[in-house]
Amino acid sequence: MPGAIHAEGLVKTFGDVRALDGVDLDVPEGTVLGLLGPNGAGKTTAVRVLTTLLQPDSGKAVVAGIDVLKHPNEVRRQIGLSGQFAAVDEYLTGRENLQMVGQLYQMSARDAKARAAELLERFNLAEAADRTAKTYSGGMRRRLDLAAALVVRPPVMFMDEPTTGLDPRNRLALWEVIQDLVAGGTTLLLTTQYLEEADHLAHDICVIDHGKVIARGTSDELKARTGGERVEVVVHDRDHLVTATEVLGGFGKGETAVDNHTRRITVPVSGGAKLLAEVIRELDTRGIEIDDIGLRRPTLDDVFMSLTGHAAEEKEEESQ
């Protein structure tokens, strides 16, 4: 049985750009799907199609059991959307923005006012509630936009890079909001470039690149595909980077990554703590002083690199 969000073979082109190239998605009710991919991969295009803002060239999409193409207005009554950029009225106060959204959804004035007060408190905006939105910082506008998407407690939510521009404190606060929503039965599709965000929140992850789904699974499943452990070494002297890279390459089971700025070398290995001791001995024999060394499991960053050949934040989002 299809999930609360279901897509089959979505295709969307913009001129010569194939933004979506046969995308399939399925998000079971009450779960979070993390949609990951580098800028320009097609994430935002997929969200726009699923939220009725854009029609695909071909394919099928069903949200909350409703066909997106046949009954877009009915879909809109069942979803909440927070896009990449805050969509608030600058000339209304924070409180007025939220009350307006509530009344547009035909809530009573009393209920809209109560819900606005609740969300302003939850998103740490209560003190600025009666200031016009044009006086808000970028992060405050972002939080107000997220609050507006939650006014009517929609059963299905779409969040397109929701924590962009938020400081760590407010990012963690939003994570708590998301976890509470999902615990209450909300289904969420989340696009993000903060890989730790997907690791923390998503039940399943779908990696998209050049408009195609190239991998899917839980965080642990994707990391297992990358395989093995990683030895990370930070050399004390940048002049020793080349020699240290040669040393680690001799122990490695794959491509060695070097960050010249941080003097960090990373290589996939097998052998665990015993091998780590051998690496330390060999570096010492070569007279290479190190500031740090460790053994770690693959991260979603490693998954990204192995699947796409580049990092998550590489090029500007195309006009999708």
Side-chain angles (χ1 to χ4, degrees):
M1 183 177 177
I5 302 171
H6 183 76
E8 295 178 15
L10 292 181
V11 173
K12 183 64 184 178
T13 58
F14 298 96
D16 295 333
V17 177
R18 203 168 178 86
L20 296 179
D21 193 6
V23 168
D24 297 332
L25 297 171
D26 194 72
V27 190
E29 186 175 343
T31 67
V32 180
L33 175 69
L35 190 60
L36 303 186
N39 279 332
K43 304 185 303 295
T44 295
T45 301
V47 168
R48 288 178 179 174
V49 168
L50 292 166
T51 56
T52 78
L53 297 177
L54 196 64
Q55 282 207 340
D57 299 329
S58 61
K60 177 183 179 182
V62 177
V63 174
I66 305 166
D67 190 300
V68 170
L69 297 179
K70 294 179 179 178
H71 307 289
N73 288 334
E74 292 181 26
V75 170
R76 290 170 193 148
R77 295 188 184 99
Q78 301 298 317
I79 65 173
L81 168 64
S82 176
Q84 284 189 4
F85 305 101
V88 299
D89 189 319
E90 293 190 345
Y91 294 96
L92 297 180
T93 66
R95 190 185 309 279
E96 288 168 343
N97 265 283
L98 298 186
Q99 290 179 187
M100 176 185 68
V101 170
Q103 292 186 281
L104 286 173
Y105 275 95
Q106 299 183 336
M107 295 174 67
S108 69
R110 179 178 178 180
D111 288 346
K113 182 177 180 180
R115 182 62 173 157
E118 177 186 344
L119 289 167
L120 288 164
E121 190 69 40
R122 191 169 201 178
F123 282 89
N124 297 316
L125 292 170
E127 291 185 6
D130 297 309
R131 283 168 37 196
T132 56
K134 66 181 178 180
T135 68
Y136 284 17
S137 67
M140 291 170 70
R141 291 188 194 193
R142 190 70 178 133
R143 280 144 52 203
L144 183 61
D145 181 66
L146 290 164
L150 298 174
V151 167
V152 293
R153 297 181 175 89
V156 179
M157 275 290 301
F158 295 87
M159 293 186 175
D160 194 6
E161 301 190 18
T163 59
T164 299
L166 297 186
D167 58 35
R169 174 171 168 264
N170 283 304
R171 182 174 298 142
L172 289 173
L174 178 61
W175 288 5
E176 291 179 5
V177 170
I178 290 172
Q179 289 171 323
D180 288 346
L181 284 171
V182 176
T186 299
T187 304
L188 172 65
L189 189 149
L190 169 78
T191 79
T192 181
Q193 292 199 46
Y194 296 111
L195 300 187
E196 75 277 12
E197 189 161 273
D199 213 353
H200 187 80
L201 295 173
H203 296 91
D204 287 292
I205 293 170
C206 188
V207 183
I208 186 171
D209 196 25
H210 299 295
K212 293 179 179 288
V213 174
I214 59 174
R216 69 184 77 211
T218 66
S219 177
D220 285 342
E221 286 169 348
L222 292 177
K223 291 173 185 178
R225 285 182 54 171
T226 306
E229 299 165 308
R230 302 290 190 271
V231 167
E232 283 190 347
V233 173
V234 178
V235 300
H236 182 73
D237 189 337
R238 188 169 278 104
D239 292 338
H240 287 156
L241 269 173
V242 172
T243 305
T245 300
E246 291 175 359
V247 170
L248 265 70
F251 292 96
K253 301 296 182 182
E255 186 176 348
T256 303
V258 181
D259 187 328
N260 287 288
H261 179 67
T262 61
R263 309 184 310 281
R264 184 182 301 274
I265 307 164
T266 306
V267 62
V269 298
S270 60
K274 182 179 178 181
L275 179 131
L276 190 63
E278 294 176 13
V279 172
I280 293 171
R281 280 196 295 270
E282 183 63 22
L283 290 170
D284 186 56
T285 298
R286 299 285 195 99
I288 299 171
E289 185 179 354
I290 60 175
D291 288 343
D292 192 21
I293 187 169
L295 188 70
R296 64 168 175 79
R297 293 183 61 211
T299 66
L300 284 180
D301 279 303
D302 298 318
V303 172
F304 245 92
M305 289 297 293
S306 67
L307 291 172
T308 69
H310 47 74
E313 303 171 18
E314 189 168 87
K315 55 188 176 181
E316 288 299 313
E317 182 91 13
E318 295 176 29
S319 181
Q320 299 176 4

